[in-house]
Each structure stands twice: as structure tokens, then as C-alpha cells.
């Protein structure tokens, strides 16, 4: 009987798919690396989310592993090259979190523009700081969307009703892909200079690491705000803290971090013009259910039928 290791929380419906397929489940969803690393050599399939790091050290211990299934889209936590060398297929579920991430982005934009978190906290402290928490409207402001694919497009659709001017940057898309009355494609420097709000929807790769650093923050309007519900590491967090503290930009709303969970000394903590959430972009009941069903179906179908749905590598090529 083949065994499936699960090291991050998934919905019960995912477990049901695996059990009904006849797999033995090694459930370590709420366990530490030190606990699951010892059973990894037994596993034929491995189901993870963002909380597990299948690095080269772990992959080398996975003697029987055939597939890593990532419930979600981001795979920067997986050493895909090491998996490929080991003959392990890596798959993700790129479409399932789109709505959840887009809605969280819209919520973060509204929260950072109207000081919602700060107002809530001040009331809890017994203060009435209405005049100190004057926000800004979205109407007639410019939204810059960095990464105009599925999530970026869903953000654009949801914010059209606010009367925003929409501009976008995407190295893989051109103006021919969009109605110019809905989205104007520009270069990244133009987007940085002209936007009142910048929202990020790109993967973390070599070209996007520290894409927004102190030099780029200095190009932004002093009244501008940046939102990241994509991946940690796209924004240099120390540089962002510097920009917020010294008034280089007006605010930020950050859901993802270079190292998660963050520690008590993180530079973005306790800044009055920064809203932080603990990687909630895909944390809805609907998204958790969707990615659990998708990834467990994909793992089952690969181990039973060798179907390679949304495979990110091909370890069988010469």
C-alpha cells in the first residue's frame, strides 16, 4: 500500500479522496519538521502547503517519493531542481486560490486607505482619534497592478466600480491582451511613479526578489501605498520599514513575508502606517476546500494513472 505524507493542514475532503483511493495516510499536518522528517522515507506522495519546506536535505531522504503536491500556487518553498534530480514530480494548484487572494487584496487596499485597523485599535485603547485617522478615497486614484495574470485581473475587475484609473506591468503580457479602457500597460518605472496604490501579483523568482527596495520606494509618490498578497521576498522588508518610518511612502498592507512566521523583532511590526496579516490570502473555507480537493485528486491520479496535471517539472527527460 502506497503512503501519502501530509505535513500542512488540508480539508477533510482531501483526506477522503486519498483514503478512498486505498492510500495509507501519514498525517503530520500539525507536526514539526523534526517529527515528519523521520517518516518521509516511507512516503510515495507528499501533500504540502506554504508551511512546509521540501528542501534538498529533505528530498534526499525521500527514498520512495514519487510526487510532491502543493496545495496552492506558490512553489518557492520547494527545491524543484532537487526534486527533479531525485525523479520526483512537483505539481501545484494554480487556479483555486485566485478569488480568495483577489478579495483579500481588495480588503487590504480598503483597509490601508481608510486606516481601518488603526481605528479599531485606537477604540480598543479607549481613544477617539477620528481626526488623526483621515483616510483617502479610491475614486480617481491610480492603481498600479504588478503582475496582470489571473489574480491581478480579478483584482482589476473588482476595483473597476471604485472609479480607479488602472495601469499594469507584466513582462509576459502586452497591451494587446487588454482593453486599454480597462487597463493601460506601462513599464515598471512608470507604474512606480504614477500609482497611488501598487499591488503585487507576481511569483517570487530571481527577477522579482527585492523588486521593491529602497531605490524603488524613492520613485513612488510620498502619498502612495503598497500592498503585497503575493509572496514574501518581492518587497525588501527592511527597506519598506525604512520607507514607512521616514515618510518616503504613506503606507503598506502586507500579508506575506520572506520568513514565516515572523518573529517579534520583525521591522514592520508596530508601525502605525502598516497593516499586517498572517498570510491570509488563501485562508478562506472555500479556498482551503478547493486546494485540498485539487491537490489530492492530482496526487491520486499521478500515483494511480501517471497523470501529470499542473506538473512543474519533468524528471523523466534525459
Amino acid at each position: 500500500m502506497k503512503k501519502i505524507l501530509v505535513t500542512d493542514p488540508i480539508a477533510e475532503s482531501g483526506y477522503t479522496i486519498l483514503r478512498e483511493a486505498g492510500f495509507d495516510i501519514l498525517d503530520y499536518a500539525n507536526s514539526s519538521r523534526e517529527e515528519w522528517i523521520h517518516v518521509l522515507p516511507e512516503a510515495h506522495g507528499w501533500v504540502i502547503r506554504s508551511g512546509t519546506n521540501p528542501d534538498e536535505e529533505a528530498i534526499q531522504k525521500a527514498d520512495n517519493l514519487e510526487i510532491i503536491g502543493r496545495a496552492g500556487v506558490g512553489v518557492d518553498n520547494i527545491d524543484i531542481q532537487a526534486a527533479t534530480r531525485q525523479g520526483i514530480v512537483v505539481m501545484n494548484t494554480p487556479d483555486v486560490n485566485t478569488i480568495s487572494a483577489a478579495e483579500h487584496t481588495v480588503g487590504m487596499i480598503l483597509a490601508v486607505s481608510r486606516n481601518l485597523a488603526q481605528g479599531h485599535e485606537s477604540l480598543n485603547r479607549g481613544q477617539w482619534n477620528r481626526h488623526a485617522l483621515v483616510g483617502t478615497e479610491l475614486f480617481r486614484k491610480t492603481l498600479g497592478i504588478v503582475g496582470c495574470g489571473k489574480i491581478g485581473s480579478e483584482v482589476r475587475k473588482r476595483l473597476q466600480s471604485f472609479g480607479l484609473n488602472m495601469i499594469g506591468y507584466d513582462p509576459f503580457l502586452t497591451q494587446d491582451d487588454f482593453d486599454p479602457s480597462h487597463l493601460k500597460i506601462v513599464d515598471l518605472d512608470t507604474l512606480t511613479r504614477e500609482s497611488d496604490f501598487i499591488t503585487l501579483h507576481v511569483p517570487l523568482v530571481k527577477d522579482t526578489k527585492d523588486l521593491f527596495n529602497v531605490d524603488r520606494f524613492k520613485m513612488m509618490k510620498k502619498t502612495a501605498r503598497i500592498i503585497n498578497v503575493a509572496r514574501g521576498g518581492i518587497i525588501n522588508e527592511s527597506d519598506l520599514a525604512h520607507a514607512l518610518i521616514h515618510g518616503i511612502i504613506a503606507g503598506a498592507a502586507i500579508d506575506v513575508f520572506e520568513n514565516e512566521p515572523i518573529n517579534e523583532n520583525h521591522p514592520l511590526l508596530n508601525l502605525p502606517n502598516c497593516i499586517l496579516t498572517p498570510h491570509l490570502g488563501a485562508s478562506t473555507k472555500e479556498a482551503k476546500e478547493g486546494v485540498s480537493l485539487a491537490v489530492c485528486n492530482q496526487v491520486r491520479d499521478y500515483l494511480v494513472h501517471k497523470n501529470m496535471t499542473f506538473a512543474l517539472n519533468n524528471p523523466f527527460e534525459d
Side-chain angles (χ1 to χ4, degrees):
M1 180 183 295
K2 291 193 173 183
K3 298 182 179 181
I4 310 296
L5 175 63
V6 180
T7 54
D8 286 311
I10 63 171
E12 183 59 35
S13 55
Y15 288 110
T16 299
I17 289 170
L18 299 175
R19 290 192 190 99
E20 290 181 349
F23 297 126
D24 184 12
I25 299 174
L26 306 173
D27 189 0
Y28 285 76
N30 296 300
S31 303
S32 67
R33 179 186 177 98
E34 289 72 23
E35 292 173 298
W36 57 251
I37 198 77
H38 297 295
V39 299
L40 182 56
E42 304 174 29
H44 300 88
W46 190 1
V47 175
I48 68 165
R49 297 193 72 177
S50 61
T52 298
N53 180 22
D55 54 19
E56 185 172 13
E57 177 191 11
I59 288 170
Q60 286 180 346
K61 295 179 183 295
D63 297 331
N64 293 299
L65 195 63
E66 300 178 42
I67 179 172
I68 298 172
R70 164 66 161 100
V73 61
V75 291
D76 50 284
N77 55 320
I78 304 172
D79 190 331
I80 296 179
Q81 290 185 344
T84 302
R85 289 193 298 269
Q86 196 85 348
I88 300 166
V89 173
V90 179
M91 298 180 183
N92 67 347
T93 60
D95 298 330
V96 186
N97 290 341
T98 299
I99 300 303
S100 180
E103 289 184 354
H104 193 66
T105 300
V106 173
M108 293 285 262
I109 291 172
L110 291 169
V112 75
S113 67
R114 299 303 296 269
N115 300 310
L116 299 187
Q118 296 89 333
H120 174 77
E121 290 172 2
S122 69
L123 286 175
N124 281 337
R125 293 193 299 267
Q127 301 169 349
W128 187 265
N129 289 335
R130 181 185 180 195
H131 299 294
L133 296 173
V134 177
T136 183
E137 294 181 1
L138 303 187
F139 184 55
R140 293 180 178 171
K141 300 300 191 302
T142 295
L143 174 69
I145 302 173
V146 180
C148 303
K150 294 176 181 177
I151 296 175
S153 292
E154 292 297 334
V155 170
R156 174 183 58 80
K157 292 174 186 176
R158 281 156 178 74
L159 288 172
Q160 279 180 331
S161 62
F162 284 84
L164 281 154
N165 172 43
M166 307 272 193
I167 59 178
Y169 165 77
D170 194 303
F172 304 107
L173 300 171
T174 69
Q175 190 63 68
D176 292 339
D177 297 300
F178 300 96
D179 183 337
S181 66
H182 293 163
L183 184 71
K184 179 183 177 183
I185 297 297
V186 298
D187 61 77
L188 183 59
D189 287 352
T190 298
L191 182 147
T192 303
R193 293 189 182 100
E194 294 185 0
S195 298
D196 298 294
F197 298 89
I198 295 175
T199 180
L200 307 180
H201 303 288
V202 293
L204 177 62
V205 295
K206 182 180 179 181
D207 290 340
T208 62
K209 180 76 169 68
D210 293 335
L211 182 64
F212 277 77
N213 55 22
V214 67
D215 293 332
R216 189 158 294 280
F217 291 131
K218 289 178 179 178
M219 295 170 61
M220 293 171 63
K221 298 177 182 179
K222 288 185 179 295
T223 54
R225 295 163 172 85
I226 190 165
I227 297 91
N228 187 13
V229 185
R231 306 304 293 176
I234 299 169
I235 292 177
N236 184 297
E237 293 163 1
S238 296
D239 287 1
L240 176 58
H242 175 85
L244 292 169
I245 290 168
H246 294 281
I248 297 172
I249 65 172
I254 307 297
D255 183 53
V256 288
F257 305 88
E258 188 166 6
N259 295 298
E260 298 179 357
I262 62 174
N263 61 46
E264 60 184 9
N265 298 315
H266 194 279
L268 295 176
L269 284 173
N270 301 311
L271 299 184
N273 51 351
C274 186
I275 294 174
L276 307 178
T277 53
H279 203 145
L280 298 181
S283 291
T284 61
K285 293 178 180 178
E286 295 84 356
K288 183 178 179 181
E289 181 80 12
V291 295
S292 298
L293 289 170
V295 75
C296 291
N297 275 318
Q298 289 169 212
V299 169
R300 177 201 62 198
D301 290 348
Y302 178 74
L303 291 175
V304 176
H305 303 295
K306 296 302 178 185
N307 292 345
M308 294 178 65
T309 307
F310 294 120
L312 302 172
N313 63 340
N314 187 351
F316 311 112
E317 290 183 347
D318 271 331

